[in-house]
Amino acid sequence: MRGTLIFAGSSCPALTGKICENLGMAPADAELTQFSNGETSVRILTSVREKDVFVVQSGSPKINDTIMELLIMISACKGGSANKITAVLPYFPYSRQSKKKSHRGAITARMLANLLGVAGVKHVITVDLHASQMQGFFKCPVDNLHAEPLIARWIRHNVPNWKDAVVVSKNAGGTKRVTSLADALKLNFGMVTTDKKRGTNMTASMIMNHLDDIERQPFLESIDNQVRNNSSGLENGNGAADSGRPRPRTVTDSQGSPRRANGPPLRTSNNPRAPPTRTQTSLSQHSAIDELDESDLDGPEYNDQRANDVTHGRLVQGHIVPDDFPSPTTSAADASVTEEDPMTMSHASSFFAPQPHALGGSGDAASSDEEDEILKNPKIEHMITLVGDVKNRTVFIVDDMIDKPGSWIAAAETVRKRGFAKKVYCIATHAVFGADCLEQMQACDCIDAIVVTNSYPIPEHKARNASKLVVLDLSFLLAEAIRRNHYGESMSPLFLHNGD
């Protein structure tokens, strides 16, 4: 492409080389070095005056150095009088910090967007943002491409009997992404959720027993009691008037009409219109019952047919355990104190309080690091729930990135050991693979394949030792996005699913 230069950052030179190869050009020359104290130095070795410049930089284990290098490269191109600078970020750094997780937290993704704007970026191309609303952080246009068409094409060509498969989300926050892929492939979808299982607490049990003693009358029973009170008041009105009891208070019945709580009605039996009053009350009872019957007939007929699609399991230290496995929460509860003190009562009251989310936000605010730390806690037992029928079917567990292995392994064991799935594919766009994540997923017997893209650089020695790893190439998608951006063409065809 004439008048275009593509610079490669230090995080993904291989991906940049494939992009340039698809476009029939070579990467532009730039010198990237570091001083002895860790400062980044960038020197552009070719003219960028009035050129359309694309800087390709993704995440890396040294993420902060990568970001600083990107900002300096953009600033150097801006100082060289480039016509337009586009940042190509296959993986957007700090994308998981797109909202406050505490009252004194920082929205780091917005800060990075501001830094890119100050450096001189005029356009951003990225793939599968962790939260699509992050596009609003930028003051320049953002093309958030999707790897879903590429993943769907791979599934159709490489997974046998994929039409009978089920797409499963490993948490509630990823259901939108899962349903999108399920709709594209016309498949059923399911969900795995994890809840903390609490041990037996004496104070909490007493509170629950106290709440159970509270009488709760059904709607029809309350109507019947009101009618019975009105009828007894009409029949015994004179006797109640002659007695020396104090005047009862006035309340309203189910129709909003005034009546007396435990005494004669407002109209005495000497009033000739008293009998019609009881008749109207009786008619109101029958009309209310008929109305409820008609509403029941008009609504859908419910049964317990769908109950078979919900499967529960016990999760201890991130793994599925048998039902007779000793519970760590139960053993901890046996050693609990019996005396009630303010701290114990406060702890018991928290039994009924919902788990807090990020400033009242959605439940997907917790990062994979926090989720894995909770799952690995040996003192806490979790109840994991599988919603959906996966028996003797292939399961695709889908999310936007793979960082920690705990939630992936727990979901895979659930669908295999509890749902009796046939094969399990773990699919994600960004292969972050922190610490020994890839090694643990490779060693898991319940996972048959790990499908990712090359948006995030994977060390070669890890890729060679992982026989289950399948890496999809994003270079064609990014090369076409760069070409369309340069010539001002529409990006819409890149979001379409081809039927091949």
Side-chain angles (χ1 to χ4, degrees), residues 200-210:
T200 304
N201 184 283
M202 185 65 65
T203 308
S205 300
M206 289 190 297
I207 296 176
M208 291 297 295
N209 293 334
H210 175 71

Side-chain angles (χ1 to χ4, degrees), residues 17-330:
K18 292 181 180 179
I19 293 174
C20 293
E21 183 180 352
N22 295 331
L23 294 173
M25 56 188 301
D29 294 332
E31 185 181 84
L32 308 176
T33 59
Q34 281 190 343
F35 293 109
S36 59
N37 61 351
E39 294 180 0
T40 301
S41 175
V42 174
R43 192 158 65 98
I44 305 299
L45 302 179
T46 184
S47 176
V48 297
R49 185 174 297 274
E50 298 301 323
K51 297 292 182 66
D52 200 357
V53 175
F54 295 86
V55 182
V56 183
Q57 184 79 294
S58 187
S60 71
K62 299 180 179 180
I63 189 67
N64 296 322
D65 292 341
T66 300
I67 293 172
M68 201 64 201
E69 181 182 276
L70 172 65
L71 296 174
I72 295 176
M73 291 180 70
I74 293 171
S75 179
C77 293
K78 180 181 178 182
S81 301
N83 182 39
K84 178 184 176 182
I85 303 174
T86 301
V88 181
L89 304 169
Y91 170 77
F92 191 85
Y94 289 97
S95 61
R96 284 175 289 185
Q97 300 185 42
S98 59
K99 57 185 174 184
K100 280 190 175 182
K101 296 182 181 180
S102 63
H103 292 283
R104 287 177 292 275
I107 307 177
T108 315
R110 183 183 61 183
M111 183 184 67
L112 181 56
N114 294 336
L115 289 174
L116 290 172
V118 172
V121 163
K122 300 299 181 183
H123 203 105
V124 174
I125 298 176
T126 185
V127 180
D128 281 339
L129 288 173
H130 187 65
S132 59
Q133 61 267 25
M134 285 173 52
Q135 300 175 65
F137 294 163
F138 294 86
K139 296 181 180 180
C140 63
V142 178
D143 290 322
N144 181 28
L145 305 178
H146 298 323
E148 180 182 293
L150 182 64
I151 294 173
R153 188 184 307 117
W154 183 89
I155 290 175
R156 287 193 292 263
H157 290 174
N158 298 275
V159 179
N161 300 324
W162 63 269
K163 293 184 178 180
D164 297 329
V166 180
V167 188
V168 174
S169 174
K170 67 183 182 69
N171 51 44
T175 52
K176 184 177 180 180
R177 187 177 297 106
V178 164
T179 53
S180 177
L181 180 61
D183 292 341
L185 296 173
K186 295 180 173 58
L187 301 178
N188 294 328
F189 66 91
M191 182 178 63
V192 173
T193 60
T194 306
D195 297 319
K196 184 188 298 184
K197 182 178 180 181
R198 305 177 187 269
T200 304
N201 184 283
M202 185 65 65
T203 308
S205 300
M206 289 190 297
I207 296 176
M208 291 297 295
N209 293 334
H210 175 71
L211 294 178
D212 291 338
D213 293 337
I214 300 177
E215 296 183 358
R216 297 179 176 86
Q217 294 182 348
F219 177 68
L220 291 180
E221 183 179 350
S222 62
I223 294 179
D224 184 61
N225 291 338
Q226 292 175 0
V227 174
R228 188 179 295 110
N229 292 336
N230 290 340
S231 301
S232 60
L234 289 172
E235 293 174 357
N236 302 322
N238 292 333
D242 296 339
S243 64
R245 290 178 297 180
R247 183 177 180 178
R249 58 189 179 89
T250 303
V251 297
T252 59
D253 59 7
S254 60
Q255 303 298 326
S257 302
R259 68 177 181 86
R260 291 174 180 172
N262 293 317
L266 295 179
R267 297 179 184 269
T268 60
S269 58
N270 296 330
N271 194 328
R273 301 185 62 180
T277 304
R278 186 171 69 176
T279 304
Q280 292 176 359
T281 307
S282 302
L283 291 176
S284 64
Q285 176 193 13
H286 292 296
S287 62
I289 297 176
D290 293 341
E291 183 178 355
L292 290 177
D293 292 340
E294 291 176 1
S295 62
D296 292 339
L297 293 176
D298 294 338
E301 183 179 357
Y302 293 99
N303 51 40
D304 59 351
Q305 186 67 28
R306 302 289 295 178
N308 296 328
D309 293 347
V310 179
T311 306
H312 300 283
R314 297 177 58 197
L315 198 67
V316 177
Q317 295 188 16
H319 296 280
I320 293 291
V321 297
D323 294 336
D324 56 352
F325 188 84
S327 174
T329 56
T330 304

Side-chain angles (χ1 to χ4, degrees), residues 277-496:
T277 304
R278 186 171 69 176
T279 304
Q280 292 176 359
T281 307
S282 302
L283 291 176
S284 64
Q285 176 193 13
H286 292 296
S287 62
I289 297 176
D290 293 341
E291 183 178 355
L292 290 177
D293 292 340
E294 291 176 1
S295 62
D296 292 339
L297 293 176
D298 294 338
E301 183 179 357
Y302 293 99
N303 51 40
D304 59 351
Q305 186 67 28
R306 302 289 295 178
N308 296 328
D309 293 347
V310 179
T311 306
H312 300 283
R314 297 177 58 197
L315 198 67
V316 177
Q317 295 188 16
H319 296 280
I320 293 291
V321 297
D323 294 336
D324 56 352
F325 188 84
S327 174
T329 56
T330 304
S331 60
D334 293 339
S336 61
V337 296
T338 57
E339 296 182 0
E340 294 183 3
D341 58 343
M343 294 300 296
T344 306
M345 293 299 294
S346 176
H347 176 73
S349 64
S350 65
F351 180 86
F352 306 98
Q355 294 295 327
H357 296 311
L359 300 179
S362 59
D364 62 345
S367 64
S368 58
D369 294 342
E370 298 170 351
E371 187 178 2
D372 272 55
E373 289 177 1
I374 296 174
L375 291 179
K376 293 295 184 180
N377 191 339
K379 297 182 180 180
I380 300 178
E381 177 183 344
H382 295 81
M383 182 182 71
I384 193 164
T385 304
L386 169 64
V387 181
D389 183 14
V390 300
K391 187 174 182 180
N392 297 326
R393 296 185 180 185
T394 300
V395 171
F396 304 131
I397 303 177
V398 180
D399 206 349
D400 65 324
M401 70 178 68
I402 301 179
D403 186 7
K404 296 291 184 177
S407 58
W408 292 91
I409 294 176
E413 291 184 357
T414 302
V415 298
R416 286 291 289 267
K417 296 181 179 180
R418 292 295 181 178
F420 305 104
K422 184 168 58 176
K423 296 187 70 175
V424 176
Y425 292 80
C426 294
I427 302 175
T429 302
H430 309 297
V432 180
F433 291 141
D436 60 344
C437 172
L438 183 57
E439 289 79 1
Q440 290 191 35
M441 296 182 69
Q442 172 70 26
C444 181
D445 297 333
C446 296
I447 297 177
D448 296 282
I450 306 168
V451 183
V452 295
T453 69
N454 57 349
S455 64
Y456 194 95
I458 305 174
E460 293 184 2
H461 67 279
K462 287 188 175 183
R464 285 195 304 265
N465 297 331
S467 59
K468 300 178 181 179
L469 183 64
V470 178
V471 181
L472 307 182
D473 188 14
L474 283 178
S475 62
F476 294 98
L477 177 66
L478 294 174
E480 183 63 15
I482 291 175
R483 190 194 67 82
R484 289 176 176 272
N485 181 277
H486 174 67
Y487 289 111
E489 299 179 8
S490 173
M491 293 283 186
S492 298
L494 301 181
F495 298 91
L496 301 179

